[in-house]
Amino acid sequence: MGDFFTASVLVATIASGVRLATPYLLAGLGETIGQKSGVLNLGVDGVMQLSAFFAYYTVLKTGNLWYGSLAAIGVGLVMGLIYAVITIEFEATQGISGIGIFILGLGLSDLLFRELVGTPKPIRRLPSVDIPLLSDIPKVGEALFQHNLLTYTAFVFVPLSVLLLSRTTFGLNVRAVGENPHAADSLGVSVERTRYAAILIGNAMAGLAGAALVLGLGIFQPNLTQGLGFIAVALVYFGSWRPAGVMAGALLYGMVNATVLQWKALNIIPVSGSVLANMAPAVITIVALAFLARRGSAPAALSQPFSRH
Amino acid sequence: MNQSKRPALKLLLALLAFVMVAAACGDSDTEGSGEDGALRIAIVAPSASDDLAFTQSMVDAVNALDRPFELEITDGTFVVEDAAAAIRGYAEDGVDIVIAHGTQYGGSLAEIAPDFPETTFVWGTSTDTQGLDNVFAYNPAADEGGYVNGVLAAGISESGVIGVVGPIEAGDAVTYIGGFEAGALASGASSVNITYTGSFGDVTLASEAAQAHLTNGVDVMTGTAQMVVGAVSVATANDIPWLATQADQTSLSPGLVVASQVYRWEVVLEEMLDLRADGTVGGQVFELTLENGGLVIEFNDGFDLPSEVRDAADAAIEGIKDGSIDTGF
Amino acid sequence: MLKKLVGASVPLLAAVTAFFFGAIMLVALGANPFEGFQAMLEGAFGSGERIATTAVRATPLILVGAGISIAFRARVINIGGESQIIAGALLSTVLALNAPDLPAILLVPLVLATGAVGGFLAGAVPGLLKAHAHVNEILSTIMLNLIMVQFMNYLLGGPLIDPLQTSAGTFIPQTERLSDNAALPTLVSGTRLHLGVPVAVLAAVAAFVLLWKTPLGFRLRAVGHNADAAKAAGINVKRHITYALAISGSFGGLAGSILVFGSEGQRMVTDGSAAGFTGSAGFNGIVAALFGGLHPLWTIPSAFLFGALLTGAVQLQRVLQVPASLAVTINGIVVLFVISSAKLRGYIEGRIADRVTESEEPPDDPGPLADVAIGSLDDPIQNPIDSSDGVV
């Protein structure tokens, strides 16, 4: 156990936790914005899979990490548009539509990978970028300020999401539409347009989460996310629809995972206890929510299709 | 709630009708054995046929067979009941050799094989045929190549600390890693740190597990199962040599893969096919070993391996072959 | 009549359109789409044996779907099907391992009942967490899925592992072969049709009876309809939320024991993932339930057709040698197109109704799909506790 509480190991564990938290955070923030507008999207995982594939494939072909990230955002937007048309224009039930998107993304990313790539080939990984000055702080700098740009982006999106939701007209509209779409409609807020925008933003962030995942790994494999997107949806509930809460959930989940892996590497968790230790992130997330969190209130119109009659 | 007149069923039945119409327009498929009397072989496997690991090793092996054959593949069938349907389907179609490439398929095979006494079922990894006359079983002694890889790792390592990334503590992961640990410790490694991530598919966890090993002074790594591509990626980024198993993983990291333990299933497949040609359709167990050539250590020329380490590895191979080295299994 | 015909044809057209996309993909992969659909059809319905396989494949979907219908009626979402299936399978496996010599007439009902108990317990956990600790059930059921997989891997690789696996050095995480006395009897020889299929159908009927013919079902629906009013009427909302998830879970648990004791292998084995054991029935059951309008009885045909898609997919891959993921992709497109067609259908039916002057037809029930899309039940997410501060 003593080995764990050395500075270098703690720093590496925190850095690992931050890396692990990144895709959850990006996808979770996107889902938060969508849900705030009253739209539940269970398809996050599928969007992440497909955008991760396109990010990977773009980098494989062009070698350019920016193009890869943009491709992922593009895929997120396209999937978001499909989801928006299905749930807004056709007023389809959101739960099942999301699962449809999930199945589609899971299948299509696998299919495209098989047909276009086949055997996993490594690509460039996102380089870590040191933040000037901050990264020079002993220990702290190494743990927090030597990450890749998409990790920083994820954390910068936390305050930005808060500002977007609470300080902009668009954010007010989003919340109004999520709480009482008919009232918002009667005040001249376009429910459809607001939800379109919220879905597109949310899915673009899910796309970016896919990019962060695959470009952090430098390799793609079918079913890359392993259900990560569903956990991201769960973390929205953990965070009670507040971006900071989602961040807390993502960091908690990532940190517990990182700690378990570090303890396994140090043999603090012996091989015989390895399987049971794998339960820790999920157990601790549930327990933390049960003991720490106050009840949050869901947007009142969450998952209700809007129709003027 | 009105429970009557639910058109959903109509909808779904109509959908079915459509599929039927569409199907009626299709051609009927051809049956019987292949052209020119070629042997018809089918593989049913749990992961992708190009996974650079377990499934690919079998596909490569069949393609390396030294006789005419026609190969059909159903891969990605990690759901046992789907695999069972595919296995039965191939047998019904008159495929000569059905390779059920997954231990978890054994139960289904016990039910299916007796219905098709003319068909040879090849099943592994397994150490017994479940008493079935038309089943050949195969099992790789993964500990042998693991031991050799361990010797190589210890020889390269300067810190003496070696990291292992595994999926769950099961199957040939246990034997490979056990052999690896024995080989490394016998060759002067001070510590072999083993992490089972708990998943065959989670590339992210494999990647962070490798990262955790690095923090603890590991300077050589190995790992087994499909998700290790994430660990190889970390090794590449940090200039850490990698020992591979199941298939040749040199393409993942051309400069850093030291050697790969490769499964040459074709060695035992050839024996099975010979037996079948002589009228024995099953009932025997085959083990892949370094001795019979079923296991081969492929050294990567792109890695600058010190000659004394190579010699130690070759000595270990010989020692395992002649029985003077015990891998612990 | 015209209205119904046209109405029913809309989702059909949607499905046709979805399969048209599937055909395009088949062509892109160099395969003949007609052969593809024929293969799917033959794989699912080509013979009595294949129909039986389809029914077996649909069995866990029926059960999970019926269970989800119960939870949704009480306005709780149960995404924990996977964990409940595993819990039921594990508990019933433990029973069969410890009482292998009981006669079949006792052991078969016992393992099924034990499976249901396992699922009940796995469902009760998120139920209690929601009722008493305000832990949203979407979060807890997703997390419990992750937890139960590892627990399964722990038990099958450790305490429950077949001793032969350790002595032979193969270490496959599986139990020894389970007692023949626990095996679900085959109903039609030469096929895989086993007792689990009618059990699942009966369970779905039981779910229907529970929801609409019993006081408990009435209270569950009352809680789902309006938690405040239910509380005012003296219903213990907390307790019924727990019941809803636990009862829902018991259906998944029953599916788990059927998967073990109706499997060809007669043992429980893990490949390390939940899907390897459940075949993702915990998720596919949600789709089956929603297509069935969250009505337990309509879940039966809906699950059967979804099961047909799954068994047909195996044949599609085998005959045409296209990746298995193609079938997954087509499934996703079918779900999206069919679910999207509900509104269009309502619209078209409305237009026809306007034109038809003689309106002898009573107002049509819009059907399960429309029910889900337009009805009041589609916000089960809303937490009855949270949405009404002061309650409980």
Side-chain angles (χ1 to χ4, degrees):
Chain A
M1 202 64 174
D3 292 344
F4 181 68
F5 291 105
T6 57
S8 66
V9 172
L10 283 172
V11 163
T13 307
I14 292 169
S16 170
V18 169
R19 280 194 301 273
L20 283 166
T22 299
Y24 296 109
L25 181 54
L26 279 168
L29 288 174
E31 179 75 14
T32 303
I33 294 171
Q35 291 203 4
K36 274 287 187 186
S37 80
V39 180
L40 168 75
N41 183 3
L42 286 178
V44 183
D45 202 66
V47 176
M48 286 180 65
Q49 308 242 18
L50 197 59
S51 45
F53 169 75
F54 274 97
Y56 169 78
Y57 191 63
T58 307
V59 175
L60 189 66
K61 290 294 161 192
T62 67
N64 188 316
L65 295 164
W66 291 112
Y67 293 168
S69 306
L70 287 175
I73 294 174
V75 171
L77 288 171
V78 170
M79 295 292 271
L81 191 61
I82 294 171
Y83 190 69
V85 168
I86 290 170
T87 56
I88 296 172
E89 303 300 337
F90 294 115
E91 297 171 23
T93 183
Q94 292 168 7
I96 193 168
S97 306
I99 290 178
I101 291 276
F102 161 64
I103 298 174
L104 176 64
L106 171 69
L108 197 55
S109 58
D110 188 340
L111 183 65
L112 290 170
F113 179 75
R114 292 289 187 83
E115 292 303 313
L116 298 177
V117 184
T119 296
K121 294 185 186 73
I123 55 167
R124 279 178 60 203
R125 306 202 304 169
L126 281 169
S128 60
V129 176
D130 295 358
I131 304 270
L133 300 179
L134 290 176
S135 64
D136 296 332
I137 305 171
K139 314 300 176 206
V140 176
E142 198 187 325
L144 303 179
F145 300 109
Q146 297 182 13
H147 287 283
N148 68 48
L149 282 178
L150 288 184
T151 297
Y152 297 133
T153 307
F155 284 88
V156 168
F157 275 177
V158 176
L160 287 184
S161 305
V162 174
L163 288 177
L164 179 78
L165 287 171
S166 60
R167 296 292 162 84
T168 65
T169 313
F170 171 71
L172 293 176
N173 289 349
V174 165
R175 287 188 292 150
V177 161
E179 291 296 335
N180 191 338
H182 289 279
D185 183 57
S186 65
L187 291 172
V189 177
S190 167
V191 177
E192 289 90 349
R193 210 178 299 163
T194 308
R195 286 189 173 174
Y196 259 100
I199 291 172
L200 287 176
I201 292 171
N203 279 270
M205 290 175 73
L208 206 55
L213 182 68
V214 76
L215 300 182
L217 289 170
I219 194 90
F220 183 88
Q221 192 166 278
N223 197 4
L224 187 74
T225 59
Q226 296 284 312
L228 192 160
F230 285 96
I231 296 171
V233 174
L235 293 178
V236 174
Y237 295 89
F238 183 94
S240 303
W241 296 270
R242 286 174 294 113
V246 175
M247 181 179 74
L251 280 173
L252 175 70
Y253 199 83
M255 289 297 171
V256 175
N257 240 328
T259 306
V260 168
L261 288 171
Q262 198 65 250
W263 285 2
K264 284 180 183 176
L266 286 167
N267 212 23
I268 293 171
I269 298 172
V271 166
S272 57
S274 176
V275 193
L276 291 174
N278 295 333
M279 299 177 187
V283 171
I284 290 174
T285 304
I286 292 180
V287 171
L289 186 58
F291 282 101
L292 303 176
R294 288 283 306 136
R295 65 173 84 163
S297 59
L302 182 57
S303 86
Q304 288 177 349
F306 173 74
S307 160
R308 273 207 192 72
H309 353 286
Chain B
M1 240 11 265
N2 180 353
Q3 273 104 50
S4 63
K5 288 184 297 177
R6 292 294 191 132
L9 181 60
K10 281 184 219 156
L11 162 194
L12 292 161
L13 290 175
L15 187 150
L16 178 61
F18 158 73
V19 181
M20 284 186 167
V21 171
C25 305
D27 304 318
S28 61
D29 38 334
T30 50
E31 300 243 342
S33 55
E35 293 160 31
D36 313 326
L39 215 49
R40 287 185 68 194
I41 302 177
I43 298 175
V44 179
S47 53
S49 56
D50 41 21
D51 63 355
L52 276 182
F54 185 68
T55 300
Q56 181 169 353
S57 67
M58 181 55 82
V59 176
D60 290 350
V62 172
N63 283 319
L65 284 178
D66 191 21
R67 63 187 81 203
F69 64 88
E70 280 180 14
L71 175 62
E72 295 168 69
I73 300 171
T74 296
D75 60 359
T77 44
F78 56 86
V79 180
V80 173
E81 302 292 300
D82 285 348
I87 292 167
R88 192 178 278 281
Y90 281 127
E92 282 172 351
D93 281 0
V95 169
D96 304 300
I97 317 278
V98 181
I99 302 174
H101 192 44
T103 313
Q104 64 268 40
Y105 303 160
S108 309
L109 209 59
E111 308 297 318
I112 298 167
D115 295 347
F116 302 94
E118 300 297 305
T119 309
T120 292
F121 295 91
V122 178
W123 170 51
T125 60
S126 168
T127 49
D128 75 293
T129 62
Q130 308 186 83
L132 298 161
D133 292 337
N134 57 337
V135 170
F136 286 123
Y138 55 86
N139 188 55
D143 49 298
E144 295 189 358
Y147 191 96
V148 178
N149 276 358
V151 171
L152 284 165
I156 297 164
S157 175
E158 287 172 13
S159 67
V161 187
I162 298 164
V164 182
V165 180
I168 65 174
E169 201 186 355
D172 66 350
V174 176
T175 48
Y176 172 75
I177 292 173
F180 183 90
E181 188 177 20
L185 293 178
S187 306
S190 56
S191 173
V192 177
N193 300 344
I194 301 166
T195 299
Y196 283 104
T197 64
S199 164
F200 280 91
D202 201 319
V203 183
T204 313
L205 281 188
S207 165
E208 289 299 329
Q211 205 79 48
H213 280 319
L214 292 183
T215 311
N216 299 302
V218 158
D219 63 353
V220 185
M221 284 197 282
T222 189
T224 177
Q226 298 88 277
M227 81 299 161
V228 293
V229 292
V232 178
S233 178
V234 169
T236 310
N238 293 280
D239 220 21
I240 299 289
W242 177 265
L243 279 309
T245 184
Q246 291 189 333
D248 192 338
Q249 293 172 343
T250 305
S251 65
L252 286 175
S253 188
L256 289 164
V257 171
V258 182
S260 305
Q261 165 173 247
V262 179
Y263 295 171
R264 285 277 170 77
W265 309 104
E266 63 266 31
V267 173
V268 295
L269 286 177
E270 294 280 7
E271 284 186 55
M272 293 173 192
L273 297 184
D274 288 343
L275 280 169
R276 180 183 163 86
D278 294 341
T280 307
V281 292
Q284 296 185 21
V285 181
F286 294 84
E287 190 161 52
L288 274 74
T289 62
L290 290 169
E291 173 68 29
N292 68 13
L295 298 177
V296 172
I297 306 295
E298 301 261 20
F299 289 91
N300 172 20
D301 294 336
F303 182 83
D304 189 17
L305 185 65
S307 61
E308 69 276 13
V309 180
R310 173 68 191 253
D311 293 344
D314 287 336
I317 293 172
E318 290 312 312
I320 292 167
K321 281 182 179 174
D322 66 26
S324 62
I325 289 177
D326 178 14
T327 61
F329 285 89
Chain C
M1 203 45 219
L2 172 73
K3 177 179 153 188
K4 271 197 244 167
L5 271 180
V6 176
S9 71
V10 172
L12 168 65
L13 282 173
V16 170
T17 318
F19 277 105
F20 180 70
F21 275 90
I24 293 175
M25 283 191 277
L26 276 168
V27 171
L29 293 169
N32 179 335
F34 292 112
E35 281 178 20
F37 293 131
Q38 184 195 25
M40 286 187 83
L41 193 65
E42 279 188 355
F45 305 108
S47 65
E49 177 207 318
R50 294 220 166 119
I51 293 174
T53 304
T54 298
V56 167
R57 191 70 205 259
T59 300
L61 306 184
I62 295 173
L63 286 166
V64 172
I68 281 168
S69 304
I70 295 174
F72 274 41
R73 294 289 168 180
R75 255 198 218 178
V76 280
I77 279 196
N78 178 9
I79 311 187
E82 301 278 282
S83 65
Q84 293 141 16
I85 292 172
I86 293 171
L90 285 172
L91 201 62
S92 54
T93 298
V94 168
L95 174 76
L97 284 170
N98 286 295
D101 298 327
L102 282 180
I105 189 91
L106 280 179
L107 194 50
V108 169
L110 264 179
V111 292
L112 293 178
T114 316
V117 170
F120 186 91
L121 297 175
V125 171
L128 291 169
L129 282 168
K130 181 181 177 70
H132 298 284
H134 304 293
V135 175
N136 181 286
E137 76 276 17
I138 291 190
L139 179 137
S140 59
T141 51
I142 287 175
M143 294 295 165
L144 268 174
N145 288 343
L146 303 170
I147 293 168
M148 284 308 297
V149 183
Q150 297 299 337
F151 191 57
M152 168 176 72
N153 291 345
Y154 166 72
L155 284 182
L156 296 186
L160 297 183
I161 195 169
D162 181 357
L164 282 177
Q165 287 299 328
T166 328
S167 60
T170 35
F171 305 104
I172 303 309
Q174 64 181 22
T175 64
E176 58 187 89
R177 195 171 193 286
L178 297 165
S179 166
D180 277 334
N181 292 352
L184 300 179
T186 303
L187 300 178
V188 180
S189 66
T191 76
R192 293 200 47 220
L193 194 75
H194 56 61
L195 185 66
V197 178
V199 165
V201 170
L202 284 177
V205 174
F208 164 73
V209 172
L210 171 79
L211 274 173
W212 280 285
K213 310 287 179 196
T214 67
L216 174 62
F218 174 80
R219 293 196 298 270
L220 287 174
R221 287 184 294 124
V223 168
H225 190 69
N226 185 332
D228 287 342
K231 184 171 162 56
I235 297 174
N236 185 330
V237 173
K238 277 184 177 183
R239 186 177 298 165
H240 283 81
I241 283 169
T242 311
Y243 285 164
L245 271 161
I247 295 170
S248 174
S250 69
F251 283 76
L254 180 57
S257 57
I258 289 175
L259 279 175
V260 173
F261 297 100
S263 75
E264 289 197 277
Q266 266 292 296
R267 64 174 88 220
M268 192 172 176
V269 50
T270 175
D271 73 340
S273 70
F277 172 67
T278 65
S280 298
F283 287 104
N284 291 336
I286 299 176
V287 178
L290 287 165
F291 269 137
L294 295 172
H295 190 292
L297 296 180
W298 283 99
T299 302
I300 300 169
S302 164
F304 187 74
L305 287 165
F306 203 80
L309 270 178
L310 296 174
T311 40
V314 176
Q315 184 80 347
L316 174 69
Q317 185 194 8
R318 204 171 67 69
V319 173
L320 270 73
Q321 291 288 293
V322 293
S325 44
L326 175 71
V328 180
T329 311
I330 295 177
N331 281 356
I333 297 176
V334 169
V335 169
L336 290 177
F337 270 86
V338 174
I339 197 70
S340 301
S341 67
K343 184 193 179 190
L344 192 61
R345 169 198 187 152
Y347 172 77
I348 290 173
E349 283 180 346
R351 288 293 292 265
I352 294 169
D354 289 345
R355 284 189 197 168
V356 177
T357 41
E358 72 276 63
S359 55
E360 306 123 47
E361 284 189 54
D364 251 9
D365 178 7
L369 283 175
D371 189 33
V372 179
I374 300 158
S376 59
L377 281 161
D378 50 12
D379 58 335
I381 310 288
Q382 255 219 60
N383 187 327
I385 297 175
D386 293 350
S387 62
S388 49
D389 271 70
V391 177
V392 297

